[in-house]
Amino acid sequence: MGAAWAIPAVSLLSASPAMASASNAPVVTIATPSNAVPASGSVPVTVVAQSAQGQPLSGQSVSLTAPSPGTFAAADGVTDGTGTYTTTFTLGSRWAKGGATVIISAVVGGVATAQSFPILGANALGWGYNAWSEMGDGGQAGGDSAGSGAVRSSAGQLTTVFPSPIKQLVSCGTATGQGSNQSTFALLLDGSVWSIGGNGFGQLGNGSYSPSTTWIQISGLSGVQQLSAGAESVYALLSDNTVAAWGDNWFGQLGTGGTQNSVTSPAVIPGLSNVTQIAAASQQVYFLLSDRTVRALGRNAWGPENAPDGRGALGNGNTTSDVSTVPVVVSNLANVTQIAGGSSFGLALMGDGSVRAWGNNSSGQLGNGTTTSSAVPVTVSGSLLDAAALAANLASAYALRASGAIAAWGKNTVGQLGDGTTVNRSVPVAVTGVTDATQVAASGSSAYAVVSDGSVKAWGQNTKGELGDTTTTNRSAPVLRQRLERTVGLGAHDTGAEFLAHVRRHGESADHSLVAESGARGRERLGRCASDHRIHGCLRRRGSAVGIRQCTTVDLVGNDELVGIRDSHREPEHLGHARFVTDGHRKLPIRYGDDVGPHPRCECSGFRSESVG
């Protein structure tokens, strides 16, 4: 079983000075119970004074200091008969970056000592259903019987337990009925993976079926680049472009070559390599490979298990088999740049901006003007030729367009298409009032968009607070949920627990993104390019008097430093304010324009931030 959390080794910045070795000078240590400090809340701090021979020194004066806004319950005191003085420390900076350090200093008997402690942070907010503690904020547990008490209709910060910033959050499970299956997973920037919640199929990855109401680190996983989760199955893209999987395997979706047996610890899918993105659907999963083709695995049918309503979710033309326990090639796809998965249907974004879809089409989710399902990819209709990103939920699909508008199609019974109606659509329609989106995400029967000012708009099902607008009223048109400055990452899943990260609000800052990576408090900057690459977008180079102000392709040589990127739909003053996405395993600038080659984006090192106050 993984540890409750992993704590980096504590480094002693400055030991007691040389005179501490004298018999009359104390040897001082400073410690916390976990040798770490949470970003929010209080933690006991213990100072121990001993002689050079290891004997406790009682009656020693103690004076503690730490950087502002950190405070001690009692900064000054005296060691007791065991040579110990204990007080509590509050860092007072809830958005402090996980993995950063804070120095606590003590002067004991005239001897100064300083200790550096790693900060445990949580740069993410969540809202929605929380019956099994899947929100990860230390709140409700007790299952579906908790009823309305499990609903979080406004955002709350996750528990500050992470030793590194959160890079991505995903959830698995269903919103009701099978609560023991609801779980959440956090991928940290250090490549570790953490889990919390229900564990009915072993999806917590801790080698058991026992649920957890606290975050645990999944052992055996390191260097993870991306996570994706299906109904009760979880997938991790590893640094060597292979995939580890665990959880439910009833339909062979873990690629073990068999079915039915759950897997309680991560195991690499055999015969699958060169993966650049994972898109888990309900009981099937799709993989984008480096050659821009797509593989599929798991359940090929939908509807009742013993009498399926249809087959073709794997997109390989097979309409007779219910499952495939080994990856199969999705037919007629080449030059794919992104994939997404819904409930028994898949989506592929093509290099020319068009979208293909396959699988179940009972609600028009393939977007081709019919409700006829297809076992091979079909082209989404409605002049959708400028898609920049895709998202899908149970039976609806979404495309972020280059203009910042969002197109939606498929099921709309609770307003999840955001067009102001509850009418299903078999061709794309515009989401009402969204013209400047930078990201789109979807879950269950709800959808979300981050817009250019960092606000989040949400629409669709809201019976469990999924929209975060402090109500439980469904919305057929987008509502502006709690305003959040600089929202750069957004993620959601079918549990009804929604997550948003990399926020800065009320002067505070957070370092996270589910689909982006950048620094805190303002202006981001890419470091130097690791090698010669091509990048699409509007940019300027450091030292340039005038930035390039039209969409273009620019050769970046190894020593060029990219200091700004924007798209042609933004005003010139946004030059110098970089925005970033990832392709599942690398930090990359947002890309616009025609596609050139498999990775026409600059892979950069030295990623950091500059404070702008």
Side-chain angles (χ1 to χ4, degrees), residues 94-97 123 503-505 507-511 520-522:
R94 67 184 183 123
W95 293 117
K97 179 179 179 180
N123 49 300
V503 299
R504 186 180 67 193
R505 54 194 289 250
E508 298 170 315
S509 63
D511 253 334
R521 294 190 64 80

Side-chain angles (χ1 to χ4, degrees), residues 448-459:
Y448 311 84
V450 179
V451 295
S452 58
D453 67 355
S455 301
V456 176
K457 293 186 176 182
W459 59 95

Side-chain angles (χ1 to χ4, degrees), residues 40-66:
S40 63
S42 299
V43 62
V45 174
T46 300
V47 179
V48 176
Q50 296 178 325
S51 68
Q53 292 74 36
Q55 298 300 312
L57 297 177
S58 62
Q60 298 288 309
S61 63
V62 178
S63 180
L64 289 163
T65 57

Side-chain angles (χ1 to χ4, degrees), residues 230-233 235 248 250-254 280-285 297-303 314 323 342-344:
E232 286 91 18
S233 310
Y235 305 84
D248 182 27
W250 188 261
F251 297 102
Q253 60 264 48
L254 301 186
S282 53
Q283 294 155 335
Q284 53 282 129
V285 58
L297 174 66
R299 193 181 188 200
N300 190 45
W302 54 87
L314 300 186
V323 303
S343 180
S344 302

Side-chain angles (χ1 to χ4, degrees), residues 76-140:
D76 299 315
V78 176
T79 58
D80 61 17
T82 64
T84 301
Y85 174 71
T86 300
T87 185
T88 58
F89 174 69
T90 302
L91 183 61
S93 181
R94 67 184 183 123
W95 293 117
K97 179 179 179 180
T101 56
V102 60
I103 298 172
I104 296 178
S105 302
V107 177
V108 181
V111 175
T113 301
Q115 188 80 29
S116 175
F117 294 94
I119 295 172
L120 304 179
N123 49 300
L125 298 171
W127 61 93
Y129 197 51
N130 195 35
W132 293 85
S133 295
E134 65 268 30
M135 192 72 68
D137 63 354
Q140 179 75 47

Side-chain angles (χ1 to χ4, degrees), residues 17 37 58 62 70 144 155-156 161 209 283 345 389 425 439 465 469 516 518 573 580:
V37 171
S58 62
V62 178
D144 291 319
V161 298
Y209 294 97
Q283 294 155 335
F345 75 101
R425 307 287 187 177
Q439 294 180 48
D469 65 348
S518 61
E573 59 264 25
F580 309 96

Side-chain angles (χ1 to χ4, degrees), residues 164 166 176 241 284 320 357 372 378 384 432 464 482 555 599-600:
S164 176
I166 302 170
T176 58
N241 298 108
Q284 53 282 129
T320 59
T372 302
V378 296
L384 184 58
T432 302
K464 297 186 182 300
Q482 180 183 4
D555 289 318
H599 294 293

